[in-house]
């Protein structure tokens, strides 16, 4: 890794070690599988993706990218964790998923190569894992076409989020591996909104994602105090 790449080598190593478990529905990635339909439905409700060119930034093992391709989108998933990308590629072959490709490249590099090339850009659960989230937001804005949508999801930074997303999910319930999230890297909605404004993106919608650990049910709400999503649009 070079100093120019906006990535934390420790974070990449962390997810590479777990790469073989991305598509194990009983693994550490089970929550991602369970919330994926909610996210996909929300994205589609605002920006129908069938026949559209879609970029999934920080795609990991391809959970969201694969499901968007199955909705008829032409999807490119990018990540810097090579083992996770190989798992994503293998799954696409095994599941015969059409319309999805994967590439090991940073979002900043791709933005320099292909500005204004995508109808929709998604960047889910990635901003809290990079040293410079504003750089990712800016690159996403450069990659989307005028009038296109950019979707983000991340975790708020406050006492409630610390208790639920780190202490509860990682240490008490064991839903995620310990050390998955670092409190200081979490991002307040006001901070993400500022990054979006600076990148020329208009914030159109916000949604919170809530979870009941007893029933293992997830749902979308107006509560953005822990997990939340932004729908932004580039002026046409």
């Amino acid at each position: 890794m070079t100093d120019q790449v906006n990535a934390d080598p420790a974070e990449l190593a962390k997810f590479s070690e777990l790469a073989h478990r991305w598509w194990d529905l009983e693994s550490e990635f089970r929550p991602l599988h369970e919330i994926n339909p909610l996210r996909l439905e929300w994205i589609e409700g605002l920006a129908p993706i069938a026949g559209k060119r879609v970029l999934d930034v920080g795609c990991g093992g391809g959970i969201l990218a694969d499901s968007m391709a199955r909705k008829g989108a032409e999807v490119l998933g990018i990540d810097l964790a090579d083992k996770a990308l190989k798992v994503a590629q293998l799954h696409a072959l095994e599941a015969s998923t059409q319309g999805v490709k994967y590439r090991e490249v940073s979002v900043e590099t791709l933005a320099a190569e292909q500005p204004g090339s995508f109808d929709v850009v998604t960047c889910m659960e990635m901003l809290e894992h990079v040293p410079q989230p504003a750089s990712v937001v800016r690159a996403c804005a450069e990659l989307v076409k005028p009038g296109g949508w950019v979707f983000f999801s991340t975790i708020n930074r406050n006492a409630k989020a610390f208790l639920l997303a780190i202490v509860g999910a990682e240490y008490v319930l064991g839903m995620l591996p310990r050390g998955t999230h670092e409190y200081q890297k979490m991002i307040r909605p006001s901070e993400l909104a500022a990054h979006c404004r600076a990148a020329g993106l208009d914030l159109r919608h916000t949604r919170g994602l809530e979870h009941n650990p007893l029933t293992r049910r997830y749902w979308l709400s107006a509560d953005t105090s822990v997990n939340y999503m932004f729908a932004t649009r580039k002026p046409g």
Side-chain angles (χ1 to χ4, degrees), residues 3-184:
D3 292 338
Q4 284 69 44
V5 175
N6 181 22
D8 182 342
E11 293 279 2
L12 296 179
K14 183 192 307 178
F15 287 103
S16 289
E17 288 174 8
L18 297 169
H20 64 290
R21 298 176 65 84
W22 270 101
W23 288 92
D24 180 352
L25 299 184
E26 297 302 321
S27 75
E28 299 90 338
F29 296 107
R30 176 173 179 160
L32 291 183
H33 289 278
E34 292 178 334
I35 66 177
N36 192 58
L38 290 172
R39 288 178 169 173
L40 184 59
E41 182 180 7
W42 188 63
I43 291 169
E44 277 240 281
L46 295 169
I49 59 176
K52 299 295 179 64
R53 192 165 188 225
V54 179
L55 174 68
D56 187 23
V57 179
C59 65
I63 295 171
L64 177 60
D66 192 274
S67 65
M68 291 193 293
R70 289 181 174 275
K71 288 287 186 177
E74 178 190 343
V75 182
L76 172 63
I78 65 171
D79 207 304
L80 291 173
D82 61 329
K83 290 183 180 179
L85 285 177
K86 289 174 182 175
V87 168
Q89 292 167 335
L90 179 60
H91 178 82
L93 287 172
E94 292 177 340
S96 300
T97 304
Q98 302 296 313
V100 63
K101 296 180 180 179
Y102 296 99
R103 183 179 169 191
E104 184 181 348
V105 63
S106 73
V107 65
E108 291 91 350
T109 298
L110 190 67
E113 289 180 8
Q114 302 183 38
S117 297
F118 296 89
D119 300 291
V120 175
V121 176
T122 60
C123 180
M124 316 302 263
E125 298 299 321
M126 186 257 201
L127 292 176
E128 70 271 24
H129 297 290
V130 298
Q132 301 174 49
S135 175
V136 174
V137 173
R138 185 165 56 250
C140 289
E142 292 169 358
L143 282 157
V144 76
K145 297 176 182 178
W149 289 84
V150 183
F151 295 88
F152 300 102
S153 75
T154 189
I155 305 177
N156 205 335
R157 188 176 72 254
N158 56 36
K160 180 179 179 182
F162 175 76
L163 288 173
L164 294 181
I166 294 183
V167 177
E170 297 182 18
Y171 290 85
V172 177
L173 299 175
M175 294 170 59
L176 299 170
R178 294 183 178 187
T180 297
H181 296 108
E182 297 177 37
Y183 180 73
Q184 63 270 25

